[in-house]
Amino acid sequence: AQRVTQPEKLLSVFKGAPVELKCNYSYSGSPELFWYVQYSRQRLQLLLRHISRESIKGFTADLNKGETSFHLKKPFAQEEDSAMYYCALRGGYNKLIFGAGTRLAVHP
Amino acid sequence: KAGVTQTPRYLIKTRGQQVTLSCSPISGHRSVSWYQQTPGQGLQFLFEYFSETQRNKGNFPGRFSGRQFSNSRSEMNVSTLELGDSALYLCASSPGQGGDYGYTFGSGTRLTVV
């Protein structure tokens, strides 16, 4: 079965603390994984895709096929990082399978 | 470059009615996919169109249908509306092979069924 699991509904941290948003997937084959972010009252935006191995806004994510994980990390959280984060798996053609999402709250 | 445009932004319909939502992709993008977002079920894939052909379909009843025009604009239709169809409907466009480029989402149409 194709599935994406984000175990935390809410992650609450203080400004300057490290952040790790967890994502595990189930997929038979070579996965294509993404992180999307939705800031308050804004549209869903692509944050990262594992193919490009970019670092966007200080966030990175590494695909670990052995642990079937694609966790999102940032060494020092900022208040403007507060948003809803979705991990997604491309499950054939242009079908994205989303996790339930994790709300990141960064407190001053 | 204009983004993905969805119209209308808000809709209120009565049970049993039908509704048509529209999505204009980014210029040059040939793939349009649709998603339903609800608090209970999260983001769920409805279907995807590429060059006027449906290539992929999610697990939704036949009341949900869509189409794509030659200019890549897409519409989705929901017939015989039920209360549970109340949701934010999002469309996303990509050049074609979305894995290489990611997907750009519109702001969505919020449908309320009363």
Side-chain angles (χ1 to χ4, degrees), chain A residues 61-102:
Chain A
D62 287 316
L63 177 61
N64 186 323
K65 289 187 180 180
E67 295 183 0
T68 58
S69 68
F70 188 57
H71 302 327
L72 184 68
K73 299 177 185 179
K74 185 169 183 176
F76 308 104
Q78 303 299 316
E79 288 180 68
E80 55 265 31
D81 295 330
S82 295
M84 195 74 182
Y85 291 80
Y86 294 95
C87 183
L89 167 71
R90 185 176 176 218
Y93 286 119
N94 285 332
K95 171 184 178 179
L96 285 176
I97 300 161
F98 284 90
T102 298

Side-chain angles (χ1 to χ4, degrees), chain A residues 32 34 36 38 43-46 49 51 86 90-100, chain B residues 4 31 33 35 37 43 45 48 55-56 94 96-103 105-107:
Chain A
E32 292 180 50
F34 306 83
Y36 278 85
Q38 191 167 34
R43 63 183 67 190
L44 207 55
Q45 302 173 38
L46 176 66
R49 51 184 191 269
I51 288 175
Y86 294 95
R90 185 176 176 218
Y93 286 119
N94 285 332
K95 171 184 178 179
L96 285 176
I97 300 161
F98 284 90
Chain B
V4 178
S31 168
S33 47
Y35 293 83
Q37 186 175 25
L43 282 150
F45 173 80
E48 188 254 358
R55 295 197 299 186
N56 214 339
S94 73
Q97 298 306 312
D100 293 335
Y101 303 99
Y103 307 84
F105 281 82
S107 297

Side-chain angles (χ1 to χ4, degrees), chain A residues 12-23:
Chain A
S12 191
V13 301
F14 286 103
K15 177 182 171 182
V19 169
E20 183 178 52
L21 299 165
K22 294 189 185 331
C23 171

